[in-house]
Amino acid sequence: MLRAGMGRGADPPHRHCRLQHRPAPPGRKRMAASMATRGQVLKLFKLLHRTRQEVFKNDTRALEAARQKINEEFKKNQDETSEEKINELLKIGSDVEVILRTSVIQAVHTDSDKILLIPRKDLLQDNTPYFDKPTKKHES
């Protein structure tokens, strides 16, 4: 009985796929490094967009402006080949993500002279009471 794709006397598909030991091309290490860098860039791109969606939730104008800015900056630098420059840009992008996540609070005008702040839950922290003089711990 013949199977599809195999004629009489044909070698099974795995026979013609022999592994050959060849030395790695000279640019292989550089290519591996650039693939790792490419992964870092993509990871940062996705992280910035996730952060944007969290930080500017329910604010369509801010969401769109941030989306355009992120895309514009990545597109502007997409042809960069210098490893040093790419690492510098990754650092800047990471810093921007931290600033967005930790420093941006949404606000809504409720009256002509009032603004309602809407902090995200991840920004809220427990208050630590302030004491002018430190208190000594009592040991039992």
Side-chain angles (χ1 to χ4, degrees):
M1 179 173 225
L2 296 175
R3 287 186 282 160
M6 289 185 62
R8 285 181 192 244
D11 289 334
H14 65 277
R15 278 211 178 150
H16 71 278
C17 299
R18 292 189 180 134
L19 294 176
Q20 295 178 358
H21 296 288
R22 294 184 214 159
R28 169 74 46 100
K29 285 183 182 177
R30 193 174 342 159
M31 190 168 73
S34 67
M35 289 302 286
T37 304
R38 184 179 178 94
Q40 289 175 316
V41 170
L42 185 58
K43 184 177 179 180
L44 178 62
F45 181 78
K46 289 178 177 183
L47 179 62
L48 280 165
H49 277 290
R50 272 189 243 108
T51 302
R52 164 190 74 89
Q53 289 173 334
E54 238 177 76
V55 169
F56 301 117
K57 193 176 192 176
N58 300 324
D59 186 346
T60 53
R61 284 178 48 197
L63 280 166
E64 182 59 22
R67 184 188 70 77
Q68 286 178 358
K69 185 63 175 171
I70 292 167
N71 291 347
E72 174 188 312
E73 289 298 319
F74 276 81
K75 190 158 187 84
K76 181 173 72 175
N77 295 297
Q78 76 179 2
D79 296 326
E80 185 59 58
T81 56
S82 164
E83 197 80 24
E84 187 177 309
K85 178 68 173 169
I86 291 170
N87 287 331
E88 181 184 324
L89 290 166
L90 284 169
K91 174 74 172 109
I92 291 169
S94 295
D95 292 347
V96 167
E97 192 277 333
V98 169
I99 290 169
L100 280 173
R101 188 170 26 86
T102 60
S103 303
V104 175
I105 297 178
Q106 287 184 315
V108 178
H109 285 278
T110 57
D111 227 353
S112 62
D113 61 345
K114 292 185 182 175
I115 296 176
L116 174 66
L117 296 179
I118 309 170
R120 293 179 315 283
K121 287 182 182 179
D122 59 328
L123 289 180
L124 299 176
Q125 297 177 359
D126 290 333
N127 284 339
T128 305
Y130 173 77
F131 296 108
D132 283 334
K133 297 178 185 176
T135 58
K136 293 183 181 179
K137 292 183 181 179
H138 298 337
E139 295 181 22
S140 308

